[in-house]
């Protein structure tokens, strides 16, 4: 599979998610040819993972999950996780690592006074770990992101921010319980 690779670091990318500001520390893609050792992230830090091809396993908080094409997962603060590739079919992964730098989520009410449950920032904060399958057709967005980063045409920074906001928002939409693995 010939998919575009991404390597973004030190680009001063800030995303807006409801009333939170997310600082993107890096966006990377690549094939796993060796395991990623167990690690966790600090308070306010999140790592979004998308597996478009290959196979492997995720061990998160002691539970083992199969990773296959289309798998998405988010590892938030203090979630111990490690990834083990299937050496006969190594995983390709797109990874976005970000930290919350300002804002706080607050309950927003619907017109009838009930809490708005679809608020993305609150879902992110309330869900330190999530795994499921892509229901939002994310691959074209990652391809578009890779193109912007590669070509760096006029306006590419703004386009990169917009695409990353779409990716993060679409992944958090998946937190609906009936889409979990």
């Amino acid at each position: 599979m010939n998919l575009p690779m991404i390597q973004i670091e030190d680009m001063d990318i800030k995303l807006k998610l409801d009333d939170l500001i997310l600082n993107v520390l890096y966006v990377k893609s690549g094939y796993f040819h060796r395991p990623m050792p167990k690690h966790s992230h600090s308070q306010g830090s999140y790592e979004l993972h998308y597996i478009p091809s290959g196979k492997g396993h995720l061990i998160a908080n002691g539970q083992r999950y199969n990773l296959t094409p289309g798998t998405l997962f988010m590892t938030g603060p203090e979630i111990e996780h490690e990834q083990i590739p299937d050496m006969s079919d190594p995983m390709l992964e797109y990874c976005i690592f970000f930290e919350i730098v300002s804002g706080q989520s607050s309950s927003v009410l619907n017109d009838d006074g009930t809490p708005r449950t679809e608020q993305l920032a609150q879902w992110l904060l309330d869900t330190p770990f999530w795994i499921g399958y892509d229901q939002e057709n994310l691959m074209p967005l990652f391809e578009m992101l890779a193109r912007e980063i590669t070509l760096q045409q006029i306006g590419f920074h703004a386009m990169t921010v917009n695409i990353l906001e779409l990716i993060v928002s679409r992944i958090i939409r998946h937190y609906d319980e009936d889409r979990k693995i």
Side-chain angles (χ1 to χ4, degrees):
M1 186 176 259
N2 188 16
L3 297 173
M5 296 294 128
I6 299 173
Q7 182 80 22
I8 304 172
E9 295 180 88
D10 303 322
M11 264 188 67
D12 190 29
I13 296 175
K14 304 286 190 286
L15 309 179
K16 184 145 178 53
L17 182 67
D18 294 333
D19 52 351
L20 296 179
I21 302 297
L22 311 178
N23 181 37
V24 177
L25 299 173
Y26 62 77
V27 181
K28 298 180 180 181
S29 66
Y31 285 93
F32 274 78
H33 295 288
R34 63 180 196 271
M36 173 62 70
K38 182 176 10 179
H39 64 286
S40 63
H41 305 288
S42 63
Q43 205 60 2
S45 296
Y46 294 80
E47 199 169 45
L48 181 158
H49 307 263
Y50 175 54
I51 310 295
S53 68
K55 296 184 291 192
H57 299 283
L58 167 70
I59 300 173
N61 283 343
Q63 286 198 286
R64 187 178 182 98
Y65 302 90
N66 289 327
L67 299 177
T68 57
T71 303
L72 296 166
F73 61 100
M74 182 82 80
T75 52
E78 310 303 326
I79 301 298
E80 284 193 341
H81 59 287
E82 64 183 299
Q83 291 160 264
I84 304 160
D86 178 333
M87 293 306 178
S88 67
D89 188 8
M91 298 178 293
L92 172 64
E93 177 185 78
Y94 286 90
C95 180
I96 302 171
F97 184 74
F98 60 89
E99 63 185 352
I100 298 171
V101 292
S102 68
Q104 62 181 18
S105 187
S106 57
S107 292
V108 175
L109 300 179
N110 292 316
D111 291 338
D112 65 0
T114 60
R116 188 180 301 162
T117 57
E118 65 275 358
Q119 189 177 15
L120 294 175
Q122 195 63 53
W123 280 6
L124 176 67
L125 295 171
D126 290 347
T127 312
F129 175 72
W130 182 89
I131 187 167
Y133 293 106
D134 180 11
Q135 303 291 321
E136 292 278 337
N137 195 24
L138 291 169
M139 195 61 225
L141 289 175
F142 281 102
E143 290 170 342
M144 190 183 309
L145 181 62
R147 178 178 159 78
E148 287 296 328
I149 297 305
T150 301
L151 297 179
Q152 294 195 8
Q153 295 175 322
I154 190 166
F156 90 96
H157 189 273
M159 289 295 291
T160 298
V161 169
N162 292 338
I163 296 165
L164 285 169
E165 284 178 345
L166 279 169
I167 290 169
V168 170
S169 295
R170 284 184 171 191
I171 288 177
I172 295 171
R173 283 180 178 175
H174 285 80
Y175 287 16
D176 187 10
E177 189 65 31
D178 63 342
R179 293 185 180 171
K180 278 190 165 184
I181 291 179

